[in-house]
Amino acid sequence: MRIAIVDDDPIVCQSLETILTATGAADVLWTANDGDDAVGRYFAAPGTRPDILLIDIQMPGRDGLDAAREILEHDPAARILFLTTFADRAYITRAMALGAKGYLIKQDVTAVGPALQAVMAGQVVLGSDVLGKLTGGGDTTASTPPSHRHGSSGGQENPDEAGSCSADAAAMESMLNEREREVAALVAEGLDNRDIAKRLHFSEGTVRNRVSGALDKLGLTNRTQLAILWINTHR
């Protein structure tokens, strides 16, 4: 597995490279310290495109979200895994809506190797702390930058946001049939098509059709967006 690491702290890049290489988890093609450098290196030549791009959120100049957006626009098959200290819901939702393959919080670097393996196996990786933020657990405003803060105070839910979630939930209930809602709920739990098929006693082909039907009805482009929408509207 060939990866690239993007973080504004060179020590983080070096430490991750040393650990992942020493454990045999991955070979590091290159490292970068900002979004512009990451985009440039990614598209420099076919041989510089990693199997997985491990990238931070906040960096000088172009941030990780904007860099990921450009990379995915030109290479939709890119596997991007965010690794950051920022655990607020706004960042997580934006990252996953782009089509990222996962979002991890910088806590235990030993978890990065297994996460990379999971992404290569076609899974979407969300840590339990990240899922907690998406489902409303904990204080999601403490680390939120000003441009992403809501107008509420004291940890209370923004009425507009609550109304939007209620409306989205109602839309999902009315637009999706019972089977599609069952499948969407399991997608939100992180199950792949094979596991969903076993759980619901469907064929994998039926599951794929249910997922595609739900995506089409909701105007979504991938199952990650479906999972995020389901989690946010049923928290």
Side-chain angles (χ1 to χ4, degrees):
M1 182 197 317
R2 304 180 310 161
I3 73 165
I5 303 170
V6 186
D7 194 290
D8 61 337
D9 187 343
I11 295 177
V12 171
C13 291
Q14 182 178 3
S15 298
L16 285 171
E17 180 174 5
T18 298
I19 292 171
L20 294 173
T21 301
T23 58
D27 295 322
V28 179
L29 284 178
W30 48 265
T31 64
N33 302 126
D34 61 68
D36 283 323
D37 192 16
V39 173
R41 286 176 178 267
Y42 190 95
F43 292 112
T48 63
R49 297 191 183 188
D51 295 315
I52 300 175
L53 179 66
L54 193 64
I55 189 168
D56 194 5
I57 294 282
Q58 285 198 1
M59 295 179 288
R62 178 181 290 189
D63 65 23
L65 290 168
D66 192 54
R69 180 180 295 106
E70 180 168 344
I71 289 172
L72 286 165
E73 284 177 353
H74 294 88
D75 182 12
R79 301 182 186 93
I80 296 180
L81 177 61
F82 284 95
L83 178 65
T84 181
T85 58
F86 297 95
D88 66 271
R89 186 183 300 153
Y91 277 147
I92 297 167
T93 302
R94 289 173 59 196
M96 301 312 294
L98 288 173
K101 299 303 182 183
Y103 195 109
L104 300 176
I105 305 303
K106 290 178 183 175
Q107 290 179 333
D108 182 7
V109 294
T110 60
V112 176
L116 292 171
Q117 295 289 343
V119 170
M120 283 299 294
Q123 300 177 32
V124 173
V125 179
L126 295 174
S128 58
D129 44 2
V130 173
L131 285 172
K133 294 294 183 180
L134 289 175
T135 54
D139 178 4
T140 61
T141 63
S143 64
T144 305
S147 61
H148 296 297
R149 289 187 184 273
H150 296 301
S152 57
S153 60
Q156 296 178 344
E157 187 175 29
N158 185 308
D160 291 338
E161 181 184 7
S164 175
C165 287
S166 297
D168 287 342
M172 292 189 78
E173 290 296 320
S174 64
M175 296 175 69
L176 303 184
N177 61 42
E178 181 180 358
R179 291 303 189 186
E180 289 167 343
R181 292 196 298 271
E182 287 178 341
V183 169
L186 295 176
V187 168
E189 291 181 19
L191 276 64
D192 60 20
N193 287 349
R194 178 179 299 179
D195 291 333
I196 294 173
K198 290 180 180 178
R199 180 80 64 88
L200 298 179
H201 306 292
F202 290 163
S203 68
E204 288 189 50
T206 298
V207 174
R208 282 195 297 271
N209 290 338
R210 301 292 186 191
V211 172
S212 296
L215 294 177
D216 289 342
K217 290 179 180 180
L218 297 171
L220 304 176
T221 58
N222 59 64
R223 62 193 294 129
T224 303
Q225 293 175 345
L226 177 61
I228 295 295
L229 179 59
W230 182 271
I231 290 170
N232 282 338
T233 55
H234 290 79
R235 66 173 184 262

